Amino acid sequence: MEDNEKLYLEKTLKVLDKKINKNAQDLAQMTKKLEDGKKELSENYSDYSRGGDLSERYSMLADVAAMEEDIVKENKKLLLQRTSPYFARIDFTPENRKKTQRIYIGIGNIIDENKFYVADWRAPISSMYYDYNLGDASLFIDKDEYKGKISLKRQYKIDNSKLLSYFDTEMTIDDEILSQILSQNVTVKMKQIVSTIQKEQNAIVRNGIDESMLIQGIAGSGKTSIALHRAAYLLYRHKNTIKSSDIIIISPNSIFSSYISEVLPQLGENNLVETTFAQIVRSELKKPVQTREALLDEIVVKPSQKMLNEISYKSSYEYLDALLRFLKGPFLETFSPQDLSYCIKEDDDEQKEFITFPASQTKELFFKTFKGYDLYERINKIAWQYAMRFTEERHYTKEQNNGLKERFKKILYNFLPIKDVEKVYQIFMAREDLTTNRGTNINYMDKGTYLAIKHYLYGFDHNFAAKYLIIDEMQDFTPVDIYVFKKLWNCPCIVVGDVNQCIEKNITDEYLQITADFLGCKLVKLNKTYRSTKQIAQFANDFIGLNDIEFVNRNGEKPILYKCTNQYEKIAQIISDKCKEYAHIAIICKCNSEAKTFARELNKKIKCTLMEHPDDYNNRVLVTTCATAKGIEFDAVIIPNADSENYKNTIDKNIIYVSSTRALHKLFFTCENEPSPLLKSNFLQKE
């Protein structure tokens, strides 16, 4: 049997080598064609310019360059496939047939002379590997169902083109196998997970493109990976209508963006368009935005009940309703038009003909005819209608008409006594008795409010068009932010997050359902964690009272709480004695000031890096904050200053939970004073 498997791998590698060699020849030809074309254009530029063929020549060169780029991309994927051509196999016998199909599954199709050597993991037939155990199975191709039986499921470990091992299983992938895979150390970048996708994850990945989903997944449930693999699936399934640049992902910060940047390239796809909400605000309002990390620092260092109350209110749909009622009511009612009259003709007797737009007509159009529109849309429509009237009377050209429309827009905006976004924001906040923005930075909690006002008054300056949207860390956004997302993008989406990882607020199941309905999403919950050991998962779940969580039965040590006389010495000892085999260790602090102090002092004992930039994640021992570490994972996590003074309230409890769930293999707490009363779990070992 082993000889047969080795032989099949050799055949597959030969097919790949054949394709790689063919690609190299095609690339050389295409590169030469491009260079020759550029040279010819340069030498005959004047002739082409005079003959009117210049644009045609540029177009031809662009086509050649695009073909060259496609070959380069294909070659990258072939080289990826050569390292590990496939990871699984199923033997499937279709109903009413005797011949069994042997289907090998990898990151991409491998076909030669109409023979399928490997099927892409996204192909319909590969779905059976994720969805069925041995026995009856079926697949859908378009709307047609094909039934049959799976008689074998085999998994392979192939690295550097070598077959290292394989095994048969009745399951897609059971806990024992998962445990072996998850026991590996963290890598610098998030990895693709095509060989370990579970049935419930596969259902999300392969959902129809038009069905939007809100995924509530506990820490370590793989929700970000699922969203990225869904993007890869859509790029495969709809390759003629959607490409990487058509998919936008909203990331929490640049460090997280860097962390996930290799997932799609590992699958042979280009990366998506990535941005943060803060970047969108800056591009539209030309103002910097307070970071989430800075907001959380404010909350944990100098919290006030007024601040927490305001955060709670701004995180509610009641606040969104209040903002929209204000914009559509009291603010809009300040629009007070005047009569507009323009002379369009004057004869020799100085008799004049006027076009007049009485105030009553403007009011009628503004408050009744175009009542359902935002302010900027009403003004656009009225300005266009008035400009067209002029055009009809004076036979203006299209260019003159556009200029006239812009002049009317300015006049119509002048009928508003206040039209500055900042001033409208200040008035609304005063009406709601809320603290207004301080300094030049927009408060983190107000970024959505500013953008909602800007959009209502003027629309957006930039086109953020996309065919598919991914929103990560959903729980960090407010209903106003989500309202703005709906204005920015009118396309299907997958929104992922975990309400248990909220730090500054509490989110209920009712809020989740309201948000799903508001976005037009199907709500899906993932309750199994794959990240941490059983002991860490038990501690984290017990810590916040989660009872319905499943976890992979991967054993490790209980989290340990050390009460010591010198934390820096103790942490240096933990790293050297208990974490020597680990590549990524994080000391996760409560706030930035604590992290800076810890990094400075710990560096006297052991080399460490304060994590501030994406490249910092490459270092072995990192000092960071809970807010910065969110979404990232580490081999071991150490939470310092875990005493009764530092961790005592609900927000502190949330911080401990989020920080704890970053750990894969080991979790430690240290303190020099009385341990936090929050750390009373039976799943915690104290030393």
Side-chain angles (χ1 to χ4, degrees):
M1 181 66 76
E2 186 175 348
D3 289 342
N4 289 340
E5 289 292 5
K6 285 183 177 178
L7 184 62
Y8 193 83
L9 177 59
E10 288 171 10
K11 287 180 180 178
T12 307
L13 291 173
K14 283 181 183 177
V15 171
L16 286 169
D17 287 338
K18 176 181 171 183
K19 289 178 177 293
I20 290 168
N21 291 334
K22 174 72 165 54
N23 252 22
Q25 294 171 13
D26 291 346
L27 183 61
Q29 290 175 4
M30 209 58 64
T31 301
K32 186 176 186 305
K33 189 173 181 180
L34 187 62
E35 289 172 353
D36 291 346
K38 287 178 180 177
K39 183 179 178 182
E40 184 191 5
L41 178 62
S42 176
E43 291 172 351
N44 301 288
Y45 185 86
S46 298
D47 293 341
Y48 287 132
S49 182
R50 284 194 300 271
D53 296 328
L54 200 56
S55 62
E56 184 180 339
R57 299 304 299 180
Y58 275 124
S59 178
M60 287 173 61
L61 285 176
D63 289 341
V64 175
M67 286 187 280
E68 183 186 48
E69 188 178 329
D70 287 343
I71 294 170
V72 170
K73 181 185 174 184
E74 176 65 17
N75 211 50
K76 283 181 181 177
K77 186 166 184 177
L78 288 169
L79 293 172
L80 271 175
Q81 289 176 288
R82 199 188 189 288
T83 299
S84 182
Y86 46 86
F87 57 83
R89 165 187 153 191
I90 57 173
D91 289 1
F92 177 68
T93 308
E95 196 173 57
N96 301 322
R97 292 191 188 178
K98 292 183 179 179
K99 188 174 181 181
T100 297
Q101 298 177 6
R102 187 181 295 176
I103 302 147
Y104 287 81
I105 301 166
I107 64 166
N109 290 323
I110 300 176
I111 310 168
D112 185 47
E113 296 178 358
N114 294 323
K115 180 179 178 182
F116 255 96
Y117 284 81
V118 177
D120 193 299
W121 66 277
R122 298 164 289 188
I125 200 165
S126 302
S127 185
M128 291 190 295
Y129 165 72
Y130 300 106
D131 289 341
Y132 293 99
N133 300 327
L134 296 185
D136 292 339
S138 66
L139 72 146
F140 281 90
I141 299 178
D142 296 324
K143 293 182 179 180
D144 296 324
E145 184 179 16
Y146 297 86
K147 296 181 179 180
K149 288 185 181 293
I150 294 175
S151 55
L152 181 140
K153 299 187 75 167
R154 181 168 290 173
Q155 292 182 302
Y156 302 87
K157 186 174 182 182
I158 301 172
D159 191 27
N160 200 23
S161 306
K162 303 289 184 188
L163 177 61
L164 303 180
S165 63
Y166 65 86
F167 52 86
D168 295 344
T169 176
E170 291 186 10
M171 310 288 291
T172 303
I173 182 164
D174 61 27
D175 270 8
E176 184 180 344
I177 300 157
L178 261 179
S179 180
Q180 293 173 13
I181 294 169
L182 298 172
S183 294
Q184 298 170 4
N185 284 354
V186 171
T187 53
V188 173
K189 306 284 187 182
M190 181 186 280
K191 297 180 291 186
Q192 54 92 350
I193 59 165
V194 289
S195 64
T196 61
I197 291 174
Q198 301 295 289
K199 183 176 181 178
E200 70 275 11
Q201 297 172 333
N202 187 51
I204 296 169
V205 168
R206 294 175 186 266
N207 228 329
I209 188 172
D210 294 327
E211 183 159 19
S212 294
M213 292 173 285
L214 191 158
I215 311 299
Q216 157 54 33
I218 63 162
S221 58
K223 50 192 175 290
T224 300
S225 287
I226 293 168
L228 294 171
H229 285 70
R230 173 154 175 74
Y233 172 76
L234 294 176
L235 291 170
Y236 172 85
R237 183 71 178 80
H238 303 278
K239 55 191 168 192
N240 295 327
T241 56
I242 189 168
K243 52 188 184 292
S244 296
S245 57
D246 294 324
I247 304 177
I248 290 179
I249 178 168
I250 308 296
S251 294
N253 55 50
S254 60
I255 291 174
F256 182 80
S257 300
S258 175
Y259 177 60
I260 65 172
S261 62
E262 287 300 313
V263 174
L264 284 164
Q266 287 169 7
L267 297 170
E269 300 291 352
N270 293 332
N271 262 323
L272 314 177
V273 177
E274 182 276 325
T275 188
T276 65
F277 197 20
Q279 288 173 328
I280 293 169
V281 176
R282 283 196 295 270
S283 69
E284 285 293 317
L285 298 170
K286 310 298 185 288
K287 282 186 175 184
V289 182
Q290 179 192 33
T291 63
R292 177 165 175 77
E293 291 79 359
L295 169 73
L296 293 179
D297 258 28
E298 255 189 273
I299 292 169
V300 301
V301 174
K302 46 181 180 180
S304 72
Q305 195 56 49
K306 179 175 172 59
M307 178 194 291
L308 295 176
N309 289 343
E310 289 194 2
I311 287 173
S312 178
Y313 179 46
K314 290 177 182 178
S315 301
S316 70
Y317 280 94
E318 288 79 11
Y319 176 79
L320 172 61
D321 289 342
L323 175 61
L324 296 180
R325 281 199 308 270
F326 165 72
L327 292 173
K328 296 175 182 180
F331 169 70
L332 215 58
E333 287 161 10
T334 64
F335 183 77
S336 182
Q338 299 173 8
D339 292 342
L340 299 174
S341 189
Y342 303 92
C343 178
I344 61 167
K345 189 184 293 183
E346 184 177 358
D347 60 21
D348 295 339
D349 298 327
E350 296 186 351
Q351 293 294 314
K352 297 179 179 179
E353 185 179 339
F354 290 87
I355 290 180
T356 301
F357 305 103
S360 58
Q361 180 183 347
T362 306
K363 272 189 176 181
E364 178 78 15
L365 290 169
F366 189 86
F367 288 107
K368 292 185 178 179
T369 307
F370 302 125
K371 182 180 179 181
Y373 294 94
D374 290 342
L375 170 68
Y376 78 97
E377 293 173 306
R378 299 185 195 200
I379 285 180
N380 273 342
K381 289 180 178 296
I382 296 170
W384 179 253
Q385 191 163 312
Y386 285 2
M388 285 302 293
R389 170 86 183 279
F390 246 80
T391 304
E392 290 163 3
E393 298 285 345
R394 294 289 300 273
H395 306 291
Y396 271 34
T397 64
K398 184 177 180 181
E399 289 73 19
Q400 289 173 319
N401 183 272
N402 286 332
L404 195 57
K405 178 190 170 186
E406 292 305 310
R407 285 168 58 193
F408 269 119
K409 281 172 63 176
K410 287 181 181 178
I411 293 167
L412 292 167
Y413 270 114
N414 283 333
F415 293 151
L416 284 163
I418 297 170
K419 51 186 177 292
D420 178 69
V421 172
E422 178 66 37
K423 288 181 179 176
V424 175
Y425 159 82
Q426 296 284 351
I427 291 169
F428 171 69
M429 298 297 276
R431 285 173 61 93
E432 294 293 308
D433 193 26
L434 295 168
T435 306
T436 54
N437 208 55
R438 300 188 299 276
T440 56
N441 281 19
I442 293 174
N443 289 342
Y444 178 85
M445 292 301 298
D446 291 342
K447 61 191 184 305
T449 302
Y450 269 93
L451 265 192
I453 293 170
K454 163 76 188 324
H455 178 267
Y456 192 78
L457 268 66
Y458 300 104
F460 292 126
D461 297 333
H462 301 85
N463 182 2
F464 300 94
K467 293 182 180 178
Y468 197 79
L469 176 67
I470 300 172
I471 302 174
D472 208 342
E473 301 293 352
M474 167 275 300
Q475 73 279 358
D476 293 346
F477 296 111
T478 69
V480 177
D481 298 337
I482 293 167
Y483 166 82
V484 171
F485 289 149
K486 286 189 69 173
K487 293 294 184 181
L488 282 163
W489 294 287
N490 181 26
C491 64
C493 63
I494 182 168
V495 182
V496 300
D498 178 16
V499 296
N500 302 302
Q501 293 186 61
C502 288
I503 292 174
E504 75 282 11
K505 60 192 177 187
N506 290 317
I507 294 181
T508 63
D509 282 346
E510 182 185 16
Y511 175 93
L512 263 182
Q513 190 59 61
I514 291 170
T515 301
D517 293 342
F518 184 67
L519 285 168
C521 287
K522 173 186 176 185
L523 178 59
V524 180
K525 294 186 179 182
L526 298 175
N527 291 324
K528 187 169 184 177
T529 178
Y530 301 93
R531 177 181 294 142
S532 306
T533 62
K534 173 183 175 180
Q535 287 73 16
I536 294 173
Q538 284 177 325
F539 165 77
N541 296 337
D542 177 66
F543 189 73
I544 59 169
L546 287 177
N547 300 314
D548 57 345
I549 303 306
E550 299 177 53
F551 45 81
V552 176
N553 195 20
R554 180 169 69 90
N555 280 303
E557 294 180 1
K558 275 187 177 183
I560 304 174
L561 167 63
Y562 291 101
K563 188 174 184 297
C564 52
T565 54
N566 187 312
Q567 289 187 90
Y568 305 111
E569 288 181 359
K570 175 53 75 174
I571 288 172
Q573 181 191 345
I574 291 169
I575 292 170
S576 60
D577 293 349
K578 292 184 173 289
C579 302
K580 51 190 171 188
E581 72 269 36
Y582 297 138
H584 282 86
I585 302 152
I587 294 98
I588 303 183
C589 299
K590 185 176 175 179
C591 61
N592 273 310
S593 57
E594 182 184 298
K596 287 175 182 177
T597 300
F598 233 89
R600 184 180 66 248
E601 295 301 318
L602 188 60
N603 253 314
K604 297 174 184 177
K605 305 289 182 183
I606 191 169
K607 185 180 179 183
C608 64
T609 303
L610 182 66
M611 190 161 73
E612 298 177 293
H613 308 290
D615 290 344
D616 293 336
Y617 187 69
N618 298 334
N619 294 284
R620 179 171 180 254
V621 181
L622 296 163
V623 181
T624 185
T625 64
C626 171
T628 303
K630 182 179 281 193
I632 304 174
E633 55 188 30
F634 305 90
D635 292 315
V637 166
I638 303 167
I639 300 174
N641 293 330
D643 56 56
S644 57
E645 185 59 34
N646 204 30
Y647 290 99
K648 55 193 174 185
N649 57 37
T650 302
I651 288 173
D652 298 335
K653 189 172 187 176
N654 295 340
I655 289 172
I656 289 178
Y657 174 75
V658 174
S659 300
S660 298
T661 54
R662 303 305 94 209
L664 269 77
H665 310 303
K666 291 192 178 179
L667 173 63
F668 306 95
F669 297 87
T670 65
C671 63
E672 295 177 5
N673 301 313
E674 187 64 25
S676 168
L678 300 173
L679 297 171
K680 291 181 178 178
S681 173
N682 292 328
F683 297 100
L684 180 69
Q685 179 181 336
K686 297 180 182 179
E687 292 188 10

